[in-house]
Amino acid sequence: NIEMKATLANIKDIQVLDITGKTILSEKGTGLNKTHSLNTTSLAEGIYFVNVQLDNGEQATRKVIIQ
């Protein structure tokens, strides 16, 4: 699992992209929480990018390696 925590705003949307930019997983945040757990058991080993959008318009992308 990937645990996400936002400090400034609530999590709105989460996308997991593969190395080619294809969306593999997409989840909506509850809109009320600053934390979210993303189940990654269905992902094959490899490099992914997790894009998190907050309800204040900010977004962040991080590289994640699944082994």
Side-chain angles (χ1 to χ4, degrees):
N1 286 349
I2 299 172
E3 303 291 328
M4 289 159 277
K5 184 175 182 181
T7 56
L8 300 176
N10 296 319
I11 296 171
K12 182 179 175 185
D13 294 307
I14 302 162
Q15 290 184 320
V16 177
L17 307 140
D18 67 11
I19 197 77
T20 66
K22 178 181 174 186
T23 300
I24 304 299
L25 290 173
S26 182
E27 290 189 11
K28 296 277 186 195
T30 64
L32 300 175
N33 292 329
K34 292 184 178 181
T35 61
H36 188 80
S37 178
L38 186 65
N39 185 345
T40 58
T41 56
S42 65
L43 298 178
E45 289 186 358
I47 298 172
Y48 297 89
F49 296 94
V50 179
N51 184 19
V52 179
Q53 294 183 339
L54 304 179
D55 63 4
N56 69 356
E58 291 186 35
Q59 74 175 30
T61 302
R62 299 290 184 264
K63 181 171 69 171
V64 175
I65 299 172
I66 303 292
Q67 298 180 339

